Each structure stands twice: as structure tokens, then as C-alpha cells.
């Protein structure tokens, strides 16, 4: 789908307002045929997903070869941090639209790659409040489509982050918000992991309470 390709390339432009191509991408994705709950995906939905999978998801994750065809030249992924502009909340919104529309068709490796891209925002203490909130919303829609094995692996990664000796107060707050997002969006899936993750949340709340008392 040439239009998807063109618009996704424009999101890397340094000379235009990139919210415009990002908004256009969201509109196009939402207008594409999508799988319907409880039904086998139609041929049209499968073709639409194929275009999104081939063109848009690689651009979200990045980096991808530059259209200029210069040897070794690449374009930064839409979800990667731009040195000048930081992370793009508009790009996260594109991801949310993709997952909302095509989540049931996304391959496991696509879900995992998108999750890692989103977590790179949540893991970054300097990411702004707006983009962090959008990243949390993205995790909440991604987790709906995780297999049990994927969710197990994700929870293990969260535990590893909580246990890191480099964990900052801001990062811990973001991780707790991530746990809350998962619990809210997929309570049934989250249930078996409550015992694993809850202590990290409770210990943080306890420390904050002690700090206020002191």
C-alpha cells in the first residue's frame, strides 16, 4: 500500500509537523477492513493486515532502510527517541490504532517487538508525561493479545526491572503504572501474576507512606 509507505516515511521528516502524517496513518488504519470478533478474518481484512505488517509495523519498530537507497542509510523507527524531538506520542497512538484494529492477527514476534519499543519509552526517565501515559495505554491494548508464554516472559522482565539496582524513583513509578495498566485491561490474564507483582507495588506504597510520616 504505497500511501501507508509514503506517510510512514514522512513521520521521520525534520521539516514538517509530523503529527499530520501520524494522524493520517491512524485514520487510514481505522478505515481498513479489520477482523471481526468471533469470525474468521475476511480476505479483505487479511490483505489489509498484510499491508500493515509489511509496511507500518517495521516503521513503528525501526530502524528501516532509508528510501534514499544510500548504502547503510537507515530511518529511525517511529517509536524510537528522536534526538531533537524526543519520543512521539503521535506514533504511540498509531501503534494503539494498529493493535486495536488488527490485534487478533498480529504475529507473536510483532507483539513482542512492539512491546519492547513501548517499554523503551516507559523505561526512560526523561520521557514526557504525555508520551508515557500513551505508552501505558499501548501496553494495556498489547497485553490483550499476548499468549500465556508472552505474558509470562513480560512479567519476568518487569520483575527484573523492579529488582534492578539502577532503578530510579521515576522508573519504579512507571513500572507500577504498567502493572496497573495490565491489571485494569486484562484482569483475568493478570490474575495468576498478582502474587508475583503485587509485593513490588505494596513495598513502594509502604515506602512512600513512611516517607510522608517522616
Amino acid at each position: 500500500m504505497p500511501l501507508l509507505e509514503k506517510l510512514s516515511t514522512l513521520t521521520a521528516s525534520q521539516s514538517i509537523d509530523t503529527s499530520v502524517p501520524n494522524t493520517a496513518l491512524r485514520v487510514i488504519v481505522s478505515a481498513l477492513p479489520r477482523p471481526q470478533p468471533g469470525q474468521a478474518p475476511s480476505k479483505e481484512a487479511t490483505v489489509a493486515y498484510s499491508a500493515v505488517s509489511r509496511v507500518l509495523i517495521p516503521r513503528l519498530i525501526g530502524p528501516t532502510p532509508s528510501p534514499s537507497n544510500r548504502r547503510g542509510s537507515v530511518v529511525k523507527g517511529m517509536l524510537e527517541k528522536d534526538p531533537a524531538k524526543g519520543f512521539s506520542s503521535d506514533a504511540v497512538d498509531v501503534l494503539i490504532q494498529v493493535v486495536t484494529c488488527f490485534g487478533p492477527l498480529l504475529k507473536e514476534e510483532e507483539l513482542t517487538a512492539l512491546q519492547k519499543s513501548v517499554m523503551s519509552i516507559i523505561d526512560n526517565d526523561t520521557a514526557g508525561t504525555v508520551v508515557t501515559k500513551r505508552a501505558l495505554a499501548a501496553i494495556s491494548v498489547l497485553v490483550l493479545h499476548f499468549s500465556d508464554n508472552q505474558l509470562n516472559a513480560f512479567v519476568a522482565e518487569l520483575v527484573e526491572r523492579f529488582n534492578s539496582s539502577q532503578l530510579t524513583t521515576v522508573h519504579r513509578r512507571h513500572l507500577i503504572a504498567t502493572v496497573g495498566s495490565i491489571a485494569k485491561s486484562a484482569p483475568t490474564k493478570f490474575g495468576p501474576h498478582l502474587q508475583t507483582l503485587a509485593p513490588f507495588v505494596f513495598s513502594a506504597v509502604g515506602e512512600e507512606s513512611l516517607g510522608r510520616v517522616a
Side-chain angles (χ1 to χ4, degrees), residues 6-168:
K6 178 69 173 174
L7 288 169
S8 63
T9 301
L10 283 174
T11 62
S13 172
Q14 297 293 326
S15 58
I16 65 167
D17 177 1
T18 54
S19 67
V20 176
N22 275 304
T23 300
L25 283 170
R26 289 206 315 274
V27 171
I28 290 171
V29 169
S30 65
L32 291 172
R34 67 182 77 175
Q36 298 302 314
Q39 299 177 24
S42 66
K43 180 182 177 183
E44 292 78 10
T46 304
V47 169
Y49 160 69
S50 179
V52 168
S53 177
R54 181 175 52 82
V55 176
L56 188 50
I57 291 177
R59 278 291 299 119
L60 282 165
I61 299 162
T64 52
S66 171
S68 68
N69 291 323
R70 289 210 313 268
R71 186 188 295 273
S73 179
V74 295
V75 179
K76 192 178 288 291
M78 292 163 62
L79 294 168
E80 292 185 278
K81 187 175 184 179
D82 183 278
K85 302 176 183 177
F87 292 107
S88 168
S89 59
D90 292 315
V92 180
D93 284 338
V94 172
L95 178 154
I96 291 171
Q97 195 66 52
V98 166
V99 178
T100 300
C101 294
F102 294 100
L105 297 180
L106 292 175
K107 301 183 187 78
E108 187 162 319
E109 58 266 28
E110 291 173 330
L111 288 165
T112 299
L114 290 169
Q115 170 228 305
K116 289 185 183 303
S117 293
V118 173
M119 285 306 298
S120 71
I121 299 172
I122 293 170
D123 288 337
N124 193 302
D125 286 4
T126 62
T129 303
V130 172
V131 74
T132 299
K133 285 183 176 178
R134 300 313 296 150
L136 291 168
I139 284 293
S140 71
V141 295
L142 279 165
V143 77
L144 294 172
H145 304 286
F146 282 2
S147 66
D148 288 343
N149 285 341
Q150 270 184 294
L151 187 56
N152 290 341
F154 183 43
V155 168
E157 289 175 16
L158 289 175
V159 169
E160 193 174 322
R161 286 172 165 89
F162 273 119
N163 284 328
S164 170
S165 60
Q166 308 297 317
L167 185 66
T168 65

